[in-house]
Amino acid sequence: MTIRYRVIEIFTRENARCRSQILYEEILAYVRSLKIAARCTVTKGTDACYEDGETASQSSVDPSHNLPLKIEIILPASELSPVMDVLEQMVCEGIVGVRELNVHWHKTRKRLLPPRIKIRDVMTPFPKKVRTTTPVDQVVRLLLTETFTGLPVVDAQDRPVGVISQTDLIYRAGMPMRLALIAGSEPDLVDMILKSLSETTAEAIMTRPDVHIQEDALLTDGVSLMLDKNVKRLLVVDAWGKLTGIVSRIDVFRTIARESPDWRTIRKSEITLTDAHFVSDIMRRDTHTVLPDASVEAVLHMIDDDDIQRVAVVDEGGHLQGLISDRNLLSAFSDDQPGIWQYLTRFAGFTEKGKHGKALQDRLRRRKAKDVMKKEIITVREDAFIEDAIQIMTEKEIRRLPVVDEEGIYRGMINREAVLRAGFKEKL
């Protein structure tokens, strides 16, 4: 069996231009932007003569800077017509021909990231930061106004010396709950939490040493470092060691969503993909589920005992009905927020929480999972490519994604770390 391909051959010269740009550079950029099963090669000749009688040579005696170029674009026959329409407008000087090529096989290794991209190309510049002497309550105030959950700590010369993450705030500073829950709490409760943190400084709770990378390093090296050190973000420094940016998982995901080819379209061209990964390969299957009629009290027990953030609600057949997070519970019991806040506080045992109020306990037993669950949920199919999951997580700005099969039966959950670790394993 052969695959029908076409070869576009463009014979031009080194200094040929397209809209004031070097022609071969423009053609390379165009083919790369297509993200289809195409390859482009530019070959420079050593000697040439042109229609106008001009000659060019690489001779050391009389060197020329207008040497001949041959540009070859190899692509599936079905992609030829639209590409030729564009090239007709681009190639202002040269000869263009097309010939058939019967390909016996086409194999390509999947790469989530092109190897040319550097850290500086994707980092968030001028990141928010704090000093070693900054009180922790100010750290929390800053994080509550942002979408991220970690901050670099710098010295007086703007050199990074550590990082403060949500984990540091909870386990080292004694912050009683996640930032997202604090943000949704009553002002009096927020003030109480912040006051309890005001006597501690950033230096006392930060994780050190920081994990940083030079801004001119390759992004693929940065991803390897993130996985090796098991961190969510990398601090970026210049040649003098000063903080210039930050790279997080979401920055990597955005780059993949922007740069990655359309692998499904490529596979339709009968190309064999090596190292292909699917959502089913990386999802976590030992996730927590409850039936719609389960009591909210049972859900709270599950969250408290296993230190999890989301519980899936499924029917008797296993079909996903909704999700319950601690934020859903805080909203559902907003009329008794101080009480439910006590239940969700990390450092109070469940027995102690149960003493808060018999009336609230009765409500927790009466209300069902289906009453508080979030029904409008975003899912991904287990047979989707990892890139599909990355696209969804990037566009919707979510960290965890439920996985279902073609019939809507709940199969598990994936998060950013699992996607990054599996997607880049031995593929950089």
Side-chain angles (χ1 to χ4, degrees):
M1 178 180 176
T2 59
I3 310 172
R4 294 176 60 246
Y5 271 63
R6 294 292 184 269
V7 180
I8 304 172
E9 296 176 312
I10 304 170
F11 298 86
T12 185
R13 62 177 84 194
E14 195 174 5
N15 66 359
R17 292 182 173 271
C18 168
R19 296 187 294 271
S20 77
Q21 302 298 317
I22 299 297
L23 177 60
Y24 76 87
E25 293 178 350
E26 285 292 289
I27 292 176
L28 279 171
Y30 167 63
V31 175
R32 183 171 62 242
S33 71
L34 293 174
K35 300 183 180 181
I36 61 174
R39 295 197 177 194
C40 182
T41 304
V42 178
T43 306
K44 182 190 293 187
T46 58
D47 296 274
C49 64
Y50 301 105
E51 299 92 330
D52 56 6
E54 179 186 352
T55 61
S57 174
Q58 205 174 29
S59 168
S60 59
V61 177
D62 185 20
S64 170
H65 299 289
N66 196 19
L67 293 169
L69 290 183
K70 180 181 180 182
I71 306 170
E72 290 183 298
I73 304 170
I74 303 174
L75 74 173
S78 59
E79 305 284 355
L80 177 66
S81 182
V83 172
M84 287 295 291
D85 290 342
V86 174
L87 291 177
E88 185 176 3
Q89 303 302 315
M90 294 178 69
V91 181
C92 302
E93 180 182 347
I95 300 172
V96 179
V98 177
R99 60 182 172 86
E100 292 186 4
L101 180 67
N102 291 324
V103 175
H104 289 271
W105 61 80
H106 182 171
K107 300 179 182 179
T108 185
R109 181 186 177 194
K110 287 184 62 178
R111 286 184 178 271
L112 294 185
L113 281 175
R116 69 184 185 278
I117 298 175
K118 294 191 174 183
I119 291 288
R120 71 163 71 92
D121 299 327
V122 305
M123 71 180 189
T124 299
F126 314 112
K128 302 285 187 181
K129 59 192 176 185
V130 295
R131 302 287 183 187
T132 54
T133 56
T134 302
V136 173
D137 65 315
Q138 292 185 28
V139 175
V140 175
R141 288 181 194 274
L142 180 56
L143 289 173
L144 288 176
T145 64
E146 304 292 345
T147 57
F148 45 80
T149 58
L151 282 171
V153 183
V154 298
D155 62 16
Q157 287 75 44
D158 252 4
R159 294 181 302 227
V161 293
V163 175
I164 293 181
S165 67
Q166 181 168 249
T167 301
D168 296 321
L169 290 168
I170 291 173
Y171 290 103
R172 293 181 178 174
M175 189 173 72
M177 59 172 54
R178 294 188 301 115
L179 290 163
L181 287 178
I182 295 176
S185 298
E186 294 291 338
D188 290 346
L189 291 173
V190 176
D191 289 343
M192 182 181 70
I193 294 172
L194 293 174
K195 184 177 180 180
S196 71
L197 302 173
S198 61
E199 299 299 322
T200 309
T201 63
E203 186 174 26
I205 68 163
M206 69 184 185
T207 295
R208 64 173 98 194
D210 65 282
V211 182
H212 62 262
I213 192 168
Q214 290 281 332
E215 58 187 6
D216 60 352
L218 293 174
L219 180 57
T220 50
D221 292 335
V223 174
S224 294
L225 183 60
M226 291 173 74
L227 296 177
D228 182 54
K229 299 297 184 181
N230 195 28
V231 295
K232 297 179 180 179
R233 58 191 67 84
L234 293 176
L235 306 186
V236 184
V237 298
D238 61 17
W240 296 271
K242 292 187 176 183
L243 182 71
T244 59
I246 193 166
V247 172
S248 64
R249 291 172 181 166
I250 191 62
D251 294 318
V252 178
F253 282 11
R254 290 191 184 107
T255 305
I256 294 169
R258 183 177 66 248
E259 299 283 347
S260 180
D262 184 349
W263 293 111
R264 290 189 180 277
T265 299
I266 288 177
R267 190 166 63 171
K268 288 178 182 177
S269 299
E270 301 181 38
I271 296 172
T272 301
L273 300 180
T274 59
D275 300 321
H277 278 288
F278 299 92
V279 168
S280 58
D281 299 328
I282 65 170
M283 68 183 181
R284 180 177 174 178
R285 301 173 189 274
D286 58 335
T287 52
H288 299 73
T289 61
V290 295
L291 293 172
D293 287 328
S295 70
V296 171
E297 184 183 39
V299 175
L300 275 166
H301 271 291
M302 190 176 291
I303 290 176
D304 184 73
D305 291 345
D306 295 294
D307 191 24
I308 60 173
Q309 295 177 11
R310 282 169 182 77
V311 173
V313 182
V314 299
D315 63 16
E316 294 285 354
H319 299 89
L320 184 63
Q321 304 296 300
L323 290 176
I324 300 176
S325 69
D326 43 13
R327 291 188 69 180
N328 297 138
L329 295 172
L330 196 65
S331 298
F333 292 86
S334 58
D335 56 334
D336 192 1
Q337 196 179 71
I340 196 66
W341 185 86
Q342 277 296 107
Y343 275 80
L344 296 172
T345 299
R346 182 175 297 274
F347 297 114
F350 199 93
T351 302
E352 179 184 342
K353 297 170 189 176
K355 298 175 183 177
H356 182 78
K358 187 174 184 305
L360 176 59
Q361 253 189 318
D362 290 342
R363 288 182 63 198
L364 294 175
R365 290 170 181 164
R366 288 196 307 270
R367 295 199 71 176
K368 306 300 182 184
K370 62 185 177 185
D371 301 327
V372 301
M373 69 183 183
K374 181 181 179 181
K375 299 177 182 178
E376 299 77 24
I377 49 178
I378 300 166
T379 62
V380 66
R381 285 267 299 268
E382 63 179 346
D383 57 353
F385 281 128
I386 287 179
E387 290 90 328
D388 297 332
I390 290 175
Q391 190 80 38
I392 295 171
M393 297 173 89
T394 304
E395 290 179 356
K396 304 301 181 180
E397 296 185 350
I398 53 181
R399 292 182 171 87
R400 294 172 182 82
L401 195 56
V403 181
V404 297
D405 66 11
E406 60 182 1
E407 297 178 355
I409 295 176
Y410 180 65
R411 294 302 187 189
M413 190 83 69
I414 59 172
N415 58 29
R416 287 179 183 173
E417 180 182 2
V419 170
L420 199 64
R421 192 167 294 281
F424 284 87
K425 185 178 180 182
E426 299 177 358
K427 293 177 66 176
L428 295 174

